């Protein structure tokens, strides 16, 4: 069964996420449609993970299984000519039959962009936070997240998860121009976990919560604070990018940098 690794980028603004759904436009649905038109029957097309509606990707990984071998370069050209302009296939490469985009992955890395000013051009790719943010306070809180924690209080529908335990490799906060960048790397992520961690970090940066409040959430202690709940503090999808999916033998991540700079 010929197997291929696909790497693609997409602007998720117009899509209901990655995963194919009935009666909804999704990235995987568009990709499947175009590939099927080019090669015929698809035995399997699977991604490294789901992304929420409105979330973008700099390098999503997928596997493609077909009945017959194809010329990857030719298929790459055909697919990109037919895909919508906000989805672009970066590469197609032959892989072993055992390769599975989700099960073979060892890590996922997300990048979140917070803008400290109103921008005419990058609105689709940032969360504009109007109140002043202290990046140093955010770094102190972010340093509490790496390690093995129960994220039941920081995800959507925890009872629907097989487990809410996640091993987080790193959380970094950096500044670039008018942006505050947050990069999170972990074995995997739960539904809306990244956006809720970011939402908490923003409240810490605004002085509305303490770093210790985030530490308490990771220990299963709910926050009692004015101004809403953890769910209501969820960061919007516009600033979130799936930056990379890691596999054995991959090089280290490059230094953190903006996907779309805001000077």
């Amino acid at each position: 069964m010929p197997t291929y690794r696909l790497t693609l980028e997409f602007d998720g603004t117009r899509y209901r996420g990655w995963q194919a759904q009935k009666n909804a436009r999704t990235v995987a649905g568009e990709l499947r449609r175009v590939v099927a038109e080019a090669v015929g029957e698809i035995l399997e097309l699977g991604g490294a993970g789901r992304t929420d509606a409105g979330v973008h990707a700099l390098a999503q990984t997928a596997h493609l299984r077909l009945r017959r071998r194809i010329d990857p370069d030719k298929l790459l050209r055909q697919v990109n000519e037919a895909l919508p302009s906000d989805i672009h296939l970066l590469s197609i490469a032959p892989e072993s039959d055992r390769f599975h985009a989700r099960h073979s992955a060892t890590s996922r890395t997300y990048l979140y962009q917070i803008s400290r000013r109103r921008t005419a051009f990058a609105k689709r790719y940032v969360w504009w936070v109007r109140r002043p943010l202290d990046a140093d306070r955010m770094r102190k809180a972010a340093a509490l997240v790496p390690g093995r924690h129960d994220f039941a209080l920081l995800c959507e529908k925890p009872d629907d998860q097989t487990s809410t335990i996640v091993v987080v490799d790193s959380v970094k906060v950096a500044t670039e121009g008018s942006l505050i960048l947050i990069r999170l790397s972990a074995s995997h992520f739960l539904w809306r976990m990244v956006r809720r961690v970011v939402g908490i970090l923003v409240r810490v940066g605004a002085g509305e919560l303490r770093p210790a409040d985030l530490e308490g959430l990771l220990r299963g202690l709910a926050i009692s604070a004015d101004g809403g709940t953890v769910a209501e503090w969820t960061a919007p999808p516009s600033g979130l990018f799936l930056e990379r999916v890691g596999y054995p033998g991959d090089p280290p991540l490059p230094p953190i940098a903006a996907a779309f700079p805001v000077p």
Side-chain angles (χ1 to χ4, degrees):
M1 185 186 304
T3 299
Y4 300 88
R5 182 194 297 203
L6 281 56
T7 306
L8 63 152
E9 61 185 11
F10 57 82
D11 176 336
T13 306
R14 299 193 303 147
Y15 300 95
R16 295 291 299 171
W18 161 263
Q19 193 75 9
Q21 304 173 38
K22 290 183 178 179
N23 304 318
R25 195 179 194 199
T26 69
V27 178
E30 291 294 312
L31 182 62
R32 175 179 284 275
R33 174 184 62 80
V34 171
V35 172
E37 288 173 356
V39 302
E41 184 182 5
I42 295 174
L43 298 181
E44 186 174 309
L45 175 65
R50 299 183 179 186
T51 56
D52 291 346
V55 174
H56 320 293
L58 301 177
Q60 165 71 300
T61 302
H63 65 265
L64 173 67
R65 305 196 201 282
L66 303 172
R67 290 198 180 278
R68 59 182 179 84
R69 298 195 180 278
I70 50 92
D71 179 340
D73 292 336
K74 180 180 178 181
L75 181 60
L76 183 69
R77 291 191 299 270
Q78 285 181 291
V79 169
N80 279 330
E81 286 174 359
L83 278 172
S85 60
D86 48 10
I87 304 174
H88 180 71
L89 196 54
L90 295 166
S91 65
I92 302 176
E95 265 290 356
S96 71
D97 292 347
R98 293 184 177 183
F99 178 76
H100 190 286
R102 181 163 63 92
H103 299 314
S104 301
T106 56
S107 66
R108 282 88 176 162
T109 298
Y110 281 88
L111 174 71
Y112 199 96
Q113 300 199 147
I114 298 165
S115 180
R116 293 177 286 183
R117 75 164 175 88
R118 186 173 182 268
T119 168
F121 302 106
K123 183 177 179 181
R124 292 165 64 157
Y125 310 116
V126 300
W127 175 19
W128 174 34
V129 177
R130 303 187 184 204
R131 52 204 192 278
L133 297 177
D134 185 330
D136 287 334
R137 281 177 57 87
M138 296 171 71
R139 288 189 189 95
K140 290 177 182 177
L144 301 171
V145 181
R148 187 177 185 272
H149 303 289
D150 188 340
F151 284 86
L153 296 180
L154 286 163
C155 73
E156 183 82 3
K157 297 182 180 179
D159 293 340
D160 292 349
Q161 307 290 336
T162 304
S163 170
T164 53
I165 302 295
V166 178
V167 178
V168 176
D169 299 321
S170 66
V171 180
K172 295 184 178 180
V173 177
T175 58
E176 181 180 322
S178 294
L179 296 176
I180 294 178
L181 306 174
I182 303 174
R183 174 194 268 173
L184 304 93
S185 295
S187 56
H188 65 288
F189 290 95
L190 307 174
W191 188 18
R192 294 190 178 167
M193 172 182 154
V194 173
R195 290 165 56 195
R196 292 199 174 164
V197 170
V198 170
I200 294 293
L201 291 178
V202 164
R203 290 189 68 85
V204 171
E208 297 160 355
L209 292 175
R210 304 164 302 154
D213 292 322
L214 175 53
E215 185 176 28
L217 287 167
L218 296 174
R219 294 168 52 198
L221 304 174
I223 293 177
S224 95
D226 295 334
T229 64
V230 172
E232 292 170 335
W233 302 333
T234 304
S238 55
L240 184 58
F241 296 79
L242 174 57
E243 183 177 359
R244 193 172 85 172
V245 182
Y247 295 91
D250 281 355
L253 284 166
I256 186 170
F260 290 90
V262 178

